Amino acid sequence: MPHSESSSFADRLATAVSRTNSVTCVGLDPRLEQLPASIRQMADSGAPDAKAAAYSQFCREIIDVVKDRVPIVKPQAAFFEQLGPAGMISLGEVIRYAHQSGLMVITDAKRNDIGSTATAYAQAYLGVEDASPWGSDSLTVSPYLGRDSLEPFVDVCDQRAAGVFVLVKTSNPGGGLLQDRVTDEQTVYERVADLVSELNQDRIGASGYGPVGAVVGATYPEQLAQMRAAMPHSWILIPGFGAQGGSADDVLAGFDPKGSGAIVNNSRNLIFAYQREPFAEKYGESRWQDAVSDATDQMNQVLLQRFSR
Ligand SMILES: O=C(O)c1cc(=O)[nH]c(=O)n1[C@@H]1O[C@H](COP(=O)(O)O)[C@@H](O)[C@H]1O
């Protein structure tokens, strides 16, 4: 069932952020070798479907822990794809389970292609309930193929009240090789930000935000401030917090003056919190779910302290 205009992706996200009083996005990046032993043993046979069952179980348990603590989760498709067809079934289950648990979902698959193929990707991933087979609220997409490759995604966002996050300034150290290149007196990432704003025009909802969001890494705080100003109506997905070195101070500039308009992803440091201090000592492997809940609460707290929402 398509959503009504009053529940656009951007507005639903704003509501979910207010309801949970959290801007944390929990990244679901299951890595077999880091799973707690109780779950890892489900995959002892080494068969892909056994590994996929372990991933589903792990992600479901994380969802149970974080569902009232955060607005949104981001399953990383790569880890599921790595297992072949069984992994993709698991990804689908995880997306559905997150929705049933009241969480919004970004599927992180960084898709794109020529326009007609992009339409197929958009139809596959975007749209909750019965609108699409994957049933995701939103998808990460690459801008490399240009405007006509992004438009099909935006069309489907319009039809299904979905959203996209366009890679603008990524968190990895090598991203600048192409993104920081200057041409026509602006960097490539600045040009992509302009494109994001152009595509978002005339689509701004009651929350002040539109369906075309941007990815900007926590590892580039100066550019994050610049990108917040350049795309005032785009939700910004900020990865790179925690394991990649981004701090609460670094992500601050990604938010609007009301402390909204951005969500901060954390994958490894939340879902495998039981492996690092102080959680390792406090909970150990057997209470890994308590480590996830404590680490998520601490991240919420640390970010909340920086805003008065
Ligand atoms: O689109 C993303 O989410 C993304 C973009 C980016 O620039 N950098 C980045 O790390 N990511 C993703 O965000 C997650 C970061 O994971 P952690 O470093 O474990 O928090 C991974 O799933 C990455 O694929």
Side-chain angles (χ1 to χ4, degrees):
M1 280 257 297
H3 285 267
S4 69
E5 206 177 298
S6 62
S7 58
S8 70
F9 167 75
D11 292 357
R12 295 202 304 283
L13 184 52
T15 302
V17 164
S18 300
R19 178 175 49 79
T20 54
N21 202 23
S22 167
V23 292
T24 300
C25 171
V26 177
L28 301 174
D29 299 34
R31 288 173 161 84
L32 191 63
E33 62 287 359
Q34 285 186 274
L35 296 183
S38 57
I39 293 184
R40 203 172 55 237
Q41 71 188 15
M42 290 173 66
D44 275 353
S45 69
D49 56 350
K51 292 179 186 169
Y55 281 13
S56 290
Q57 178 69 22
F58 179 62
C59 293
R60 272 198 304 268
E61 291 199 42
I62 289 169
I63 288 166
D64 288 343
V65 170
V66 303
K67 65 182 179 191
D68 296 319
R69 293 184 153 84
V70 303
I72 194 160
V73 292
K74 182 174 75 68
Q76 170 52 266
F79 295 101
F80 297 89
E81 284 183 29
Q82 198 179 22
L83 302 180
M88 295 312 265
I89 290 171
S90 167
L91 174 63
E93 284 169 5
V94 168
I95 293 171
R96 298 276 161 183
Y97 191 75
H99 273 144
Q100 285 161 12
S101 306
L103 285 160
M104 293 183 70
V105 176
I106 305 169
T107 299
D108 188 2
K110 299 187 178 64
R111 292 294 194 260
N112 215 341
D113 208 312
I114 60 164
S116 52
T117 311
T119 300
Y121 278 136
Q123 286 174 344
Y125 282 99
L126 293 175
V128 297
E129 297 169 11
D130 296 329
S132 81
W134 290 101
S136 189
D137 294 275
S138 61
L139 180 70
T140 54
V141 295
S142 164
Y144 196 69
L145 281 86
R147 186 186 177 110
D148 59 334
S149 75
L150 291 172
E151 282 167 343
F153 287 100
V154 181
D155 289 343
V156 176
C157 286
D158 288 344
Q159 292 154 18
R160 300 181 182 174
V164 286
F165 290 92
V166 179
L167 298 177
V168 171
K169 176 72 185 153
T170 59
S171 66
N172 57 314
L177 176 70
L178 300 177
Q179 294 161 18
D180 295 352
R181 277 212 119 62
V182 177
T183 166
D184 292 339
E185 295 177 7
Q186 64 177 172
T187 61
V188 168
Y189 75 81
E190 287 167 338
R191 181 65 190 94
V192 176
D194 288 348
L195 177 55
V196 165
S197 289
E198 289 160 24
L199 292 168
N200 227 3
Q201 237 174 27
D202 305 327
R203 294 187 162 85
I204 316 300
S207 60
Y209 290 91
V212 189
V215 177
V216 183
T219 45
Y220 295 100
E222 277 174 34
Q223 288 87 343
L224 184 57
Q226 184 197 359
M227 291 297 93
R228 175 70 287 160
M231 299 175 289
H233 301 294
S234 289
W235 278 96
I236 299 182
L237 166 64
I238 310 176
F241 181 91
Q244 295 177 51
S247 68
D249 288 333
D250 291 333
V251 302
L252 207 55
F255 291 84
D256 69 19
K258 292 185 196 150
S260 187
I263 44 174
V264 182
N265 182 79
N266 190 345
S267 304
R268 283 167 286 185
N269 273 6
L270 292 183
I271 66 175
F272 303 122
Y274 81 93
Q275 292 183 320
R276 65 183 177 96
E277 298 307 342
F279 311 106
E281 168 142 16
K282 207 164 160 191
Y283 301 109
E285 193 161 346
S286 61
R287 291 179 62 201
W288 68 270
Q289 300 94 331
D290 291 330
V292 173
S293 106
D294 197 348
T296 306
D297 287 344
Q298 285 198 22
M299 178 166 164
N300 280 338
Q301 200 57 38
V302 126
L303 292 173
L304 256 184
Q305 280 166 2
R306 303 243 177 349
F307 312 115
S308 47
R309 266 202 299 280

